[in-house]
Amino acid sequence: MTASSTSTRKLIVVTGATKGIGRAIARALVQEHGCEVLAIGRTAGELASLQDELSPFGDQLRTLVVDLAQPGSEVVVQQELAGRRVHGLVNNAGLLITRPFGHWSQDDMSQLFNTNVFAPIRLVQALVHAMDGDPAGHVVNIGSMGGFQGSSKFPGLLAYSASKAALANATECLAEELKDRQVRVNCLSIGAVDTAMLQAAFPGYRAPVGAESMGTWIARFVLEGHNLFNGKVLPVSSTTP
């Protein structure tokens, strides 16, 4: 890979890239769109296997093991990027906790909001200087139909759905905050996708959409969606359980 071709690649940061939709997004960005990806996750072994899988693409994939729920984790990401221009950020990392109503603890709810809402906001704050400019940077927050106003709701998911609703609202606020900096922010409220997280929420249910097809679609949206959308919360769902 020549230095000039490296400099023209788009650099996309993908969190929660160890499995499921996040892994599929990272793979599609590298394989189908020729992007450079910084894949972030908590599990070193899973990131190493993704690195091995994409080894034919040389240095297009970089990995970083960090728990974004931990204070200061956004600084670790910022330092890893070393001042490089970032064209896209996919806040895909998420946490699911299910509880019958009456059994939610403060710790449960704090964990959900810390991972699903506060961590993405902190990461945007840390990377905004690397994303502003021309062409516009694009933040894509991966939400859930459970957090989409007016959608079907399900028992046991109260705090999870509330955290995803907060992420949707934060998306609208971030778009307003950053509109003069050429950084655009959208939220994709994902419906039923056949992942381990869906199985944990709805045991035995088989979604009609797989992680690979959803990841491929989201990868393209990261690169093109900001040309048509900003500050939007978009339902991406063929079905809910």
Side-chain angles (χ1 to χ4, degrees), residues 7 36 51 66 91 94 105 130-131 136 147 155 172 176 189 219 226 238:
S7 65
E36 181 178 350
Q51 188 90 61
V66 64
N91 283 313
S105 69
M131 298 184 70
E172 296 171 333
E176 182 64 23
S189 295
H226 61 297
S238 61

Side-chain angles (χ1 to χ4, degrees), residues 36-163:
E36 181 178 350
V37 172
L38 175 61
I40 299 174
R42 295 183 301 170
T43 309
E46 294 283 358
L47 288 177
S49 70
L50 180 61
Q51 188 90 61
D52 290 343
E53 183 181 346
L54 296 177
S55 60
F57 295 87
D59 61 353
Q60 283 179 238
L61 181 78
R62 297 162 54 196
T63 61
L64 178 64
V65 180
V66 64
D67 183 354
L68 294 171
Q70 296 302 310
S73 57
E74 69 277 8
V75 178
V76 176
V77 178
Q78 189 180 51
Q79 292 172 342
E80 178 69 19
L81 291 165
R84 292 190 57 194
R85 175 74 204 280
V86 175
H87 298 85
L89 166 62
V90 185
N91 283 313
N92 172 73
L95 176 66
L96 171 71
I97 297 174
T98 63
R99 295 282 185 268
F101 184 72
H103 294 269
W104 287 102
S105 69
Q106 180 65 41
D107 184 60
D108 292 333
M109 293 183 284
S110 294
Q111 286 187 61
L112 282 166
F113 275 78
N114 190 34
T115 299
N116 296 346
V117 187
F118 305 148
I121 293 173
R122 293 198 308 267
L123 195 52
V124 172
Q125 287 190 144
L127 301 188
V128 66
H129 293 292
M131 298 184 70
D132 59 11
D134 185 19
H138 191 195
V139 177
V140 178
N141 294 323
I142 303 302
S144 169
M145 284 302 294
F148 190 79
Q149 188 173 12
S151 67
S152 298
K153 303 298 187 289
F154 299 94
L157 297 175
L158 186 155
Y160 171 79
S161 294
S163 72

Side-chain angles (χ1 to χ4, degrees), residues 158-234:
L158 186 155
Y160 171 79
S161 294
S163 72
K164 288 299 188 178
L167 180 64
N169 187 269
T171 297
E172 296 171 333
C173 294
L174 284 167
E176 182 64 23
E177 296 275 2
L178 304 179
K179 67 180 181 181
D180 294 331
R181 304 189 62 164
Q182 293 300 303
V183 177
R184 293 169 187 159
V185 189
N186 291 296
C187 178
L188 299 178
S189 295
I190 306 300
V193 179
D194 196 30
T195 63
M197 184 176 285
L198 182 77
Q199 287 297 316
F202 301 98
Y205 178 78
R206 185 65 182 266
V209 178
E212 291 302 316
S213 59
M214 182 60 73
T216 297
W217 188 89
I218 293 173
R220 184 174 177 184
F221 183 84
V222 175
L223 299 174
E224 300 178 4
H226 61 297
N227 295 321
L228 297 174
F229 301 101
N230 188 34
K232 299 300 184 285
V233 180
L234 304 171

Side-chain angles (χ1 to χ4, degrees), residues 12-30:
I12 313 295
V13 177
V14 181
T15 73
T18 56
K19 61 183 67 174
I21 294 173
R23 189 182 182 102
I25 295 169
R27 186 187 296 113
L29 286 167
V30 169

